[in-house]
């Protein structure tokens, strides 16, 4: 059940740029064509001469929004068009506003510029790329290297050792909804319609940039056409758009071209993952070392958190993580679904697969033998951890017992090599502070306004279902309002904490509502008669913070800042878990790799919304296959930036690539974590999926791949 399905398929759901306002003008961006340097001059004369052009602006008086992971509100701290510094290819150098989108685009393309070029460093190993030790560069406790015992010594003393270095390319999220929206002013009030996962950061970030009161800014984002992390903070086009709209006295719409989103939004940075494991002869892992170099920009330190998950995957007695940041000449990278967890599991779970071969043990058996109830780092118990159940059920559904472990041993009727691979994944369960306002109306309908953003994952459906089940009313009688700063706070929805953060405050709001309606604390409620007995509509407020989270987290959230806690809580640690089983077929003459079937079983606590949950897992698995076999943002070594910045040349998985994906859930509530028993799901869905594909390719072909993506030319 998806409560907004009807609105979506009939086109009634309004996304950011869908607004059509009287007198609306259209904007377009002109982008820098050099990778780094100084802007000497911009020639806007040809642009200004295009019929219908209203304004061509190259400079704005805008403060930095600050970097979202540095206490600010922006996807990066650098605000283009405020000085002559060019930090990356594709950085905006001018904005054009015209009567039509065609005129604006034509004018933007007519803008030329002169630059004084400086040398660029674009790769992890480029000359001039600066490598920093993360825990020294960003001295925050949660970014310190994770260590327990003397992992190097334990590995050296172990009878079996194995290591591997894996390269993960930069990748871009390409949400269906392009970045952009409509801004307009109503007197002194700025109104922003833009697809975002973090309406409150836009509000407070724009207040900081423009030097106005946040009380005078409204951000509306009731629907987002895919976020994936790229829309988790203030993007650089919105501040300039607000200023030109004010100057012209007209609403202005800007929708970035797909190719522009490759430089005016964050991306998954390149990383190198070195894994070293020690084990006994049975494959029981004794210790692990995980060393990571991750790309960042010159102007911001995008923190790496790869080791947070690998440290918790198995029952280790010793572990050493080390993360370094490599400063390169790009826009600031950012979060992209399972930002660290997917790359790190791609590496870690292939090394575990190699270990299984080395000790001659089935890879499912080996993983089960390394299961644990205790977090190796903190020594605390996991609140719930059913990854062994995921493995057992997945193996059964997949028919894993029919696997011949010998590589290249299984063939299809057409001669294709068949490979079966397995991998597990985990994802930290963080929790955000949230506010909820519930209103029971005289018509019997219940309206719920709560922190959250609907970006296709189905949070609106999940909330509606929870309220309907609690009160025993039809889902159609529940109205859910999210993503709108005029009805609530709208803390960032990301990191798979949306459902597990919103539902607890909705849940306590429901208890409150029942009190005010003078009905029992549980059981079905006749809402309209209860409201009639009170004599008027009833509104209640409730909030919730994560376990052990200080109450001032709510104040942080209400001022547009991050207010999250986890995955380590007082007395326990919480992660979501998944096991993926993948079949690949490698056609022997063309070496084309197909993925005919996948079985994925997840432990996300109680499944709050079965339809949207299964859909999340399918999406994550599809993306994992894409990461394994297709996706790579190709660096343009001549001019900086990314050269395959279109959907033609940045191939994502399409329907024709996707065959059977069976999804199942363990569905056991985690009441220690929160009163609704729900953990996160969206991102864990993808974690380990690329590794399972790579392990299947190894099983099919006998070859291990240390770099993604794995394409025909690598298998041939
Ligand atoms: Mo997600 S990559 O935390 O929006």
């Amino acid at each position: 059940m998806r409560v907004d399905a009807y609105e979506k398929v009939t086109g009634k759901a309004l996304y950011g740029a869908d607004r059509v306002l009287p007198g609306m003008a259209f904007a377009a961006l002109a982008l820098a064509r050099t990778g780094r340097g100084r802007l000497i001059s911009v020639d806007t004369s040809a642009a200004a001469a295009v019929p219908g052009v209203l304004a061509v602006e190259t400079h704005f008086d805008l403060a930095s929004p600050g970097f979202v992971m540095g206490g600010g509100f922006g996807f990066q701290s650098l605000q283009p068009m405020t000085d002559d510094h060019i930090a990356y290819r594709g950085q905006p150098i001018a904005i054009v506003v015209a009567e039509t989108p065609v005129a604006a685009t034509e004018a933007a393309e007519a803008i030329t510029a002169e630059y004084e070029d400086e040398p660029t460093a674009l790769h992890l190993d480029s000359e001039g790329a600066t490598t920093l030790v993360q825990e020294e560069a960003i001295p925050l406790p949660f970014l310190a290297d994770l260590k327990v015992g003397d992992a190097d010594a334990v590995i050296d003393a172990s009878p079996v050792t194995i290591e591997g270095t894996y390269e993960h390319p930069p990748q871009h999220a390409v949400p269906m909804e392009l970045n952009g929206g409509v801004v307009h002013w109503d007197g002194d009030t700025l109104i922003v319609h833009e697809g975002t996962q973090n309406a409150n950061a836009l509000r407070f970030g724009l207040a900081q940039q423009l030097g106005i009161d946040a009380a005078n800014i409204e951000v509306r984002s009731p629907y987002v056409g895919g976020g994936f992390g790229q829309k988790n903070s203030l993007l650089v086009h919105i501040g300039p758009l607000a200023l030109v709209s004010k100057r012209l006295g007209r609403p202005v719409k800007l929708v970035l071209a797909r190719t522009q989103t490759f430089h005016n939004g964050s991306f998954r940075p390149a990383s190198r993952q070195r894994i070293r494991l020690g084990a006994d002869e049975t494959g029981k892992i004794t210790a692990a070392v995980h060393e990571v170099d991750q790309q960042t920009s010159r102007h911001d330190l995008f923190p790496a958190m790869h080791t947070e998950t690998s440290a918790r995957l198995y029952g280790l007695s010793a572990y050493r993580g080390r993360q370094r940041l490599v400063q390169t000449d790009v826009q600031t990278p950012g979060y992209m679904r399972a930002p660290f967890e997917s790359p790190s599991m791609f590496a870690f779970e292939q090394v575990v697969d190699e270990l299984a071969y080395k000790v001659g043990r089935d890879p499912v058996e080996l993983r089960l033998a390394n299961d644990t109830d205790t977090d190796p780092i903190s020594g605390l118990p996991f609140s719930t951890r059913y990854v062994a159940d995921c493995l057992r059920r997945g193996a059964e559904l997949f028919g894993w017992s029919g696997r011949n472990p010998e590589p290249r041993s299984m063939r299809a009727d057409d001669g294709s090599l068949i490979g079966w691979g397995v991998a597990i994944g985990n994802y930290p369960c963080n929790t955000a502070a949230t506010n909820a306002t519930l209103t029971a109306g005289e018509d019997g309908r219940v309206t719920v306004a709560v922190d959250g953003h609907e970006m296709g994952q189905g949070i609106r459906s999940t909330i509606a279902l929870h309220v309907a089940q609690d009160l025993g009313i039809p889902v159609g009688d529940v109205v859910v309002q999210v993503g709108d700063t005029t009805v609530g706070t709208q803390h960032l929805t990301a990191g798979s904490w949306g459902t597990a953060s919103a539902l607890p405050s909705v849940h306590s709001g429901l208890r409150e509502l029942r009190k005010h309606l003078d009905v029992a604390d549980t059981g079905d409620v006749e809402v309209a008669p209860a409201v009639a007995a009170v004599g008027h509509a009833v509104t209640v407020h409730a909030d919730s913070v994560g376990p052990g989270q200080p109450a001032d987290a709510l104040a942080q959230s209400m001022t547009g800042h991050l207010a999250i806690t986890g995955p380590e809580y007082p007395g326990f640690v919480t992660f979501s878990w998944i096991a993926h089983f993948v079949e690949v077929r490698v056609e022997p003459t063309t070496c084309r790799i197909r993925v005919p079937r996948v079985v994925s079983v997840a432990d996300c606590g109680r499944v709050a919304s079965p339809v949207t949950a299964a859909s999340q897992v399918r999406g994550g698995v599809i993306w994992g296959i894409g990461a394994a076999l297709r996706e790579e943002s190709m660096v343009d070594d001549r001019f900086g930036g990314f050269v395959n910045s279109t959907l033609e040349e940045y191939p994502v998985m399409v329907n024709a690539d996707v065959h059977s994906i069976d999804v199942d859930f363990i569905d056991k509530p985690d009441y220690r974590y929160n009163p609704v028993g729900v953990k996160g799901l969206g991102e864990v869905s993808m974690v380990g999926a690329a590794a399972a594909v790579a392990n299947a390719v190894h099983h099919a072909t006998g070859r291990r791949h240390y770099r993604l993506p794995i394409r025909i030319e690598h298998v041939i």
Side-chain angles (χ1 to χ4, degrees):
M1 190 259 345
R2 197 182 266 279
V3 294
D4 38 26
Y6 183 80
E7 280 201 319
K8 284 187 171 190
V9 298
T10 55
K12 288 203 173 78
L14 285 185
Y15 292 78
D18 287 344
R19 301 294 186 301
V20 178
L21 298 173
M24 191 163 75
F26 300 87
L29 296 175
L31 307 184
R33 294 178 187 182
T34 188
R36 182 186 180 190
R38 204 171 61 79
L39 196 56
I40 295 170
S41 63
V42 184
D43 184 351
T44 60
S45 53
V50 172
V53 166
L54 299 164
V56 185
E57 306 270 355
T58 60
H59 184 87
F60 292 91
D61 190 13
L62 279 168
S64 165
F67 176 43
V68 71
M69 283 308 288
F73 307 100
F75 99 82
Q76 64 179 6
S77 60
L78 185 148
Q79 173 59 53
M81 299 184 280
T82 56
D83 63 17
D84 63 357
H85 175 53
I86 300 295
Y88 55 92
R89 174 89 190 272
Q91 178 180 322
I93 56 169
I95 184 168
V96 179
V97 183
E99 294 289 355
T100 66
V102 173
T105 304
E106 182 185 340
E109 284 174 0
I111 290 172
T112 57
E114 276 185 72
Y115 310 93
E116 189 179 288
D117 290 338
E118 292 166 20
T120 53
L122 303 167
H123 302 275
L124 293 175
D125 297 320
S126 294
E127 191 183 329
T130 310
T131 301
L132 306 169
V133 174
Q134 175 166 289
E135 65 176 1
E136 291 167 7
I138 325 175
L140 292 172
F142 72 96
L143 295 176
D145 284 341
L146 296 177
K147 281 184 196 122
V148 63
D150 186 343
D152 299 272
V154 174
I155 294 171
D156 288 343
S158 295
V160 179
T161 62
I162 195 147
E163 70 175 86
T165 300
Y166 289 77
E167 306 275 341
H168 202 286
Q171 296 174 333
H172 276 75
V174 283
M176 273 214 276
E177 182 195 22
L178 295 159
N179 294 324
V182 177
V183 303
H184 62 111
W185 292 79
D186 180 2
D188 286 336
T189 300
L190 170 63
I191 300 157
V192 178
H193 303 277
E194 164 108 9
T196 178
Q197 305 167 236
N198 196 350
N200 217 29
L202 262 60
R203 183 167 166 242
F204 282 87
L206 285 166
Q208 179 170 314
Q209 285 211 281
L210 301 167
I212 63 176
D213 195 335
N216 289 342
I217 301 175
E218 298 173 2
V219 179
R220 297 182 186 174
S221 181
Y223 285 102
V224 185
F228 310 123
Q230 198 180 55
K231 294 172 182 156
N232 72 11
S233 45
L234 181 58
L235 295 171
V236 297
H237 61 270
I238 308 175
L241 205 60
L243 285 180
V244 287
S245 168
K246 177 142 211 184
R247 194 169 83 59
L248 292 171
R250 294 171 65 164
V252 182
K253 174 186 292 199
L254 172 64
V255 179
L256 269 59
R258 174 64 70 192
T259 183
Q260 297 183 325
T261 68
F262 277 72
H263 299 108
N264 287 284
S266 58
F267 64 101
R268 191 196 301 281
S271 66
R272 176 175 300 136
Q273 321 260 344
R274 180 173 170 266
I275 314 282
R276 206 167 161 241
L277 301 180
D280 69 13
E281 289 88 350
T282 69
K284 174 84 187 81
I285 302 170
T286 50
V289 171
H290 186 178
E291 295 175 315
V292 184
D293 287 341
Q294 178 193 277
Q295 174 183 33
T296 187
S297 66
R298 296 267 181 206
H299 42 277
D300 293 308
L301 299 177
F302 172 60
M305 298 182 76
H306 299 266
T307 56
E308 182 179 59
T309 38
S310 63
R312 272 59 182 244
L313 205 59
Y314 296 112
L316 307 166
S317 66
Y319 179 90
R320 181 173 67 79
R322 190 219 57 193
Q323 303 187 99
R324 301 193 304 184
L325 300 176
V326 183
Q327 292 182 289
T328 59
D329 298 301
V330 287
Q331 77 268 29
T332 302
Y335 301 90
M336 174 170 143
R337 198 177 195 170
F340 318 108
E341 299 76 12
S342 179
S344 54
M345 282 311 124
F346 156 69
F348 203 94
E349 280 292 272
Q350 285 205 74
V351 178
V352 170
D353 199 59
E354 286 203 35
L355 175 64
Y357 277 99
K358 196 159 182 177
V359 301
R361 196 159 181 193
D362 176 79
V364 173
E365 287 296 314
L366 181 120
R367 284 173 172 82
L368 288 170
N370 283 291
D371 194 22
T372 180
D373 290 331
T374 307
D375 166 32
I377 299 298
S378 62
L380 295 169
F382 290 110
S383 55
T384 51
R385 172 180 162 126
Y386 296 112
V387 69
D389 299 46
C390 295
L391 276 165
R392 284 190 206 100
R393 188 175 305 170
E396 193 186 317
L397 291 171
F398 189 84
W400 185 258
S401 61
R403 179 178 184 262
N404 180 338
E406 189 64 36
R408 304 182 67 89
S409 64
M410 293 168 62
R411 280 192 191 260
D413 291 344
D414 69 352
S416 291
L417 289 159
I418 294 178
W420 286 4
V422 63
I424 62 171
N426 58 346
Y427 192 89
C429 291
N430 293 304
T431 316
T434 59
N435 292 277
T437 303
L438 280 67
T439 301
E442 284 157 10
D443 59 359
R445 282 154 73 93
V446 176
T447 302
V448 184
V450 61
D451 287 70
H453 299 79
E454 174 56 62
M455 39 192 163
Q457 84 279 38
I459 198 167
R460 189 179 276 117
S461 303
T462 306
I463 293 163
L465 197 59
H466 185 83
V467 172
Q469 285 174 348
D470 188 285
L471 296 175
I473 62 176
V475 175
D477 284 353
V478 185
V479 179
V480 180
Q481 298 173 326
V482 289
D484 185 336
T485 62
T486 64
V487 300
T489 303
Q490 312 312 343
H491 181 277
L492 169 63
T493 307
S496 297
W497 60 63
T499 301
S501 303
L503 284 189
S505 63
V506 171
H507 186 73
S508 79
L510 284 164
R511 312 275 75 70
E512 207 52 34
L513 190 65
R514 283 168 176 272
K515 264 186 228 153
H516 284 75
L517 288 175
D518 200 20
V519 297
D521 201 42
T522 56
D524 291 358
V525 177
E526 300 280 339
V527 177
V531 171
V534 176
H536 53 79
V538 174
T539 296
V540 299
H541 300 281
D543 51 46
S544 124
V545 296
Q549 190 175 27
D552 70 1
L554 288 162
Q556 280 289 106
S557 164
M558 287 165 85
T559 49
H561 294 285
L562 279 172
I564 59 164
T565 186
E568 197 175 318
Y569 298 99
F572 62 91
V573 172
T574 306
F575 277 76
S576 291
W577 305 90
I578 197 159
H580 301 284
F581 292 80
V582 170
E583 174 173 323
V584 301
R585 292 191 180 204
V586 182
E587 204 280 327
T589 42
T590 62
C591 289
R592 188 177 75 162
I593 306 169
R594 306 294 275 171
V595 184
R597 66 191 185 103
V598 179
V599 171
S600 299
V601 183
D603 160 26
C604 59
R606 183 172 73 82
V607 177
S609 164
V611 168
T612 56
S615 172
Q616 280 290 289
V617 178
R618 270 185 219 106
V621 169
I622 290 165
W623 209 342
I625 300 169
L629 302 179
R630 297 276 194 282
E631 294 186 42
E632 174 176 14
S633 304
M634 311 287 294
V635 174
D636 188 336
D637 286 310
R638 304 160 304 169
F639 310 114
F642 300 99
V643 74
N644 56 335
S645 55
T646 63
L647 277 173
E648 292 89 337
E649 295 183 340
Y650 186 93
V652 298
M653 301 300 288
V654 297
N655 276 340
D657 293 313
V658 179
H659 302 274
S660 158
I661 300 174
D662 276 347
V663 176
D664 203 0
F665 296 98
I666 301 303
D667 199 12
K668 288 189 185 163
D670 188 336
Y671 290 124
R672 210 166 169 189
Y673 176 42
N674 62 48
V676 293
V678 167
K679 302 197 282 188
L681 178 62
E683 295 179 78
V684 77
S685 302
M686 184 179 179
V687 182
V693 174
N695 289 339
V697 171
H698 170 265
H699 181 233
T701 64
R703 268 176 66 190
R704 182 68 60 190
H705 294 273
Y706 297 91
R707 204 184 174 288
L708 288 183
I710 306 165
R711 294 198 177 124
I712 285 175
E713 59 267 33
H714 307 122
V715 176
I716 217 147

